[in-house]
Amino acid sequence: MHDAGVLSPVVEATAIAVAELCAAVDEPSPLIVDLGGGPGVYLRACLRRAPTARGVVIDLSKACARAAVRGEPTAASVIADVWRQIPMRSASATVALSVFAPRNIAETARVLRAGGHLVIVTPRPDHLTELVGPLGMLRVGPDKDDRIDAALSPAFGIIDRRVVQETRTVTAPTIADLVAMGPSAFHHDRAHIDEVADAVADARGGSLEVTVAVTVTVCRVRGDRSHPSGSDQRVTD
Ligand SMILES: C[S@@+](CC[C@H](N)C(=O)[O-])C[C@H]1O[C@@H](n2cnc3c(N)ncnc32)[C@H](O)[C@@H]1O
């Protein structure tokens, strides 16, 4: 899915936001932690734009943890569950990143340095809207941003929100990959997803235009750190 470049504008917008945050701190080598970072595509893009930074991907998947560090000397990865205690020292990270991944707000706040930032990428209601009906994908609720704000507010203050919205042309294999990477994949097996993706693409002459629409939210950890600790503030896409 990443190789097909569908989400390249999202990757770039995220990397720009993270690099700006790294450039603004007085640290020789800021630490970026990508929680549920998958194969490390976002972390790599961040490290390209913030060359003095170091990065860590935390992910449940061994394959992702391996892929994330391949050929990346300033990146490390850890196989771990972000719903549990994140295996990092308190106040050790400069920027945390969460892209289409589960968010443990209290633990994320714990691992960030004072004044550290969290960058979250979340789908907007019209994200991949052309695929929602035909492929039975879960819809993004119109109150998504409000729910994120409410979950974040005990530990973080939102300082910036950027919308990325573009149209991309996709073929059947990419359609199937887009569905398979989302939460809807839990409700269908891969063979079914491939079959429906083929049918949808064939019905439109082999390819279709899809809307990519996400919000990149930048927030800052609250100074008083008076938020509740523990892993009870769970949010997911
Ligand atoms: C939709 S993918 C997004 C990956 C990456 N952020 C990206 O956009 O390329 C969600 C990722 O979260 C990871 N993940 C799911 N639950 C997790 C958990 N509880 N702890 C750590 N990682 C988790 C999955 O293994 C997967 O790599």
Side-chain angles (χ1 to χ4, degrees):
M1 193 276 302
H2 280 303
D3 287 348
V6 192
L7 296 184
S8 303
V10 180
V11 176
E12 279 316 300
T14 306
I16 288 168
V18 171
E20 285 171 2
L21 295 168
C22 289
V25 294
D26 187 19
E27 290 176 41
S29 188
L31 180 61
I32 303 164
V33 56
D34 190 351
L35 300 161
V41 171
Y42 286 84
L43 182 63
R44 280 171 206 275
C46 293
L47 293 174
R48 295 289 92 74
R49 288 188 174 268
T52 61
R54 301 156 294 145
V56 185
V57 160
I58 310 265
D59 202 286
L60 266 185
S61 154
K62 192 196 274 187
C64 282
R66 282 216 179 100
V69 291
R70 206 165 287 141
E72 205 59 55
T74 54
S77 59
V78 182
I79 301 164
D81 183 350
V82 301
W83 288 146
R84 302 167 75 88
Q85 190 175 38
I86 296 171
M88 291 178 68
R89 281 192 195 146
S90 299
S92 57
T94 314
V95 182
L97 188 56
S98 172
V99 184
F100 301 123
R103 288 179 294 280
N104 181 338
I105 308 286
E107 265 296 283
T108 304
R110 180 187 65 77
V111 302
L112 280 171
R113 294 183 179 175
H117 291 85
L118 167 63
V119 177
I120 303 179
V121 177
T122 48
R124 296 177 62 75
D126 42 357
H127 185 59
L128 305 179
T129 187
E130 298 81 359
L131 304 181
V132 167
L135 284 127
M137 292 174 80
L138 299 175
R139 284 180 198 281
V140 177
D143 60 344
K144 173 108 183 160
D145 284 349
D146 293 343
R147 287 193 292 115
I148 291 171
D149 291 1
L152 289 169
S153 65
F156 290 93
I158 292 168
I159 59 169
D160 189 25
R161 206 160 233 161
R162 304 171 192 187
V163 171
V164 179
Q165 176 131 8
E166 295 215 6
T167 306
R168 315 292 279 179
T169 303
V170 291
T171 54
T174 307
I175 295 169
D177 287 343
L178 280 167
V179 177
M181 80 168 281
S184 314
F186 288 112
H187 305 290
H188 304 290
D189 65 26
R190 181 69 201 214
H192 173 77
I193 293 171
D194 286 344
E195 204 175 291
V196 182
D198 280 344
V200 168
D202 282 352
R204 291 159 179 84
S207 65
L208 77 154
E209 303 247 289
V210 294
T211 305
V212 169
V214 306
T215 306
V216 179
T217 304
V218 179
C219 35
R220 187 181 154 103
V221 71
R222 293 197 190 282
D224 58 6
R225 295 193 174 254
S226 60
H227 52 82
S229 60
S231 55
D232 53 343
Q233 290 168 280
R234 295 180 174 199
V235 186
T236 188
D237 292 329

